[in-house]
Amino acid sequence: MFSFTTPLKGEILDNGNIKITEEFDYYRENNADEIIKVPKGFESDFARVPFVFRILVFPIGKHSKPAVIHDYLCELYHQGKVSRAVCAYM
């Protein structure tokens, strides 16, 4: 089981990305009660949607929260702090 325990709050930047203005938390019950905390100031590009498909799928929507968590986990992966499998989970 999982849940987002805090709302996603951020500022949309001129480049279309979001800059997180308050810590954003995600709870994963099935992984030793893990809480992933996206820190204030983290920048995400939401879900990358090719321009031609934006008529069908807008980059911002109900998939925004999982996209921010995924981007944060990928950042941690590039820093060597989590495995690739953890990033793929989101």
Side-chain angles (χ1 to χ4, degrees), residues 56 69 83:
L56 302 172
I69 296 292
S83 70

Side-chain angles (χ1 to χ4, degrees), residues 36-83:
I36 298 169
K37 296 177 178 280
V38 180
K40 175 182 176 181
F42 178 74
E43 190 174 317
S44 171
D45 64 358
F46 291 114
R48 289 190 182 163
V49 178
F51 185 76
V52 71
F53 295 114
R54 289 188 183 178
I55 294 171
L56 302 172
V57 179
F58 194 68
I60 301 170
K62 62 183 178 181
H63 54 277
S64 294
K65 289 180 178 182
V68 170
I69 296 292
H70 175 77
D71 286 353
Y72 180 65
L73 290 174
C74 287
E75 181 71 25
L76 293 179
Y77 167 74
H78 290 294
Q79 295 173 7
K81 296 179 180 178
V82 299
S83 70

Side-chain angles (χ1 to χ4, degrees), residues 8-12 18-23 39-42:
L8 175 60
K9 294 183 180 181
E11 171 188 354
I12 303 297
I18 184 173
K19 184 175 182 179
I20 305 302
T21 57
E22 291 183 22
E23 183 178 277
K40 175 182 176 181
F42 178 74

Side-chain angles (χ1 to χ4, degrees), residues 1-2 26-36 89:
M1 180 174 204
F2 62 89
Y26 175 74
Y27 172 75
R28 291 193 337 185
E29 182 180 276
N30 57 344
N31 193 2
D33 296 330
E34 178 184 9
I35 297 176
I36 298 169
Y89 176 75

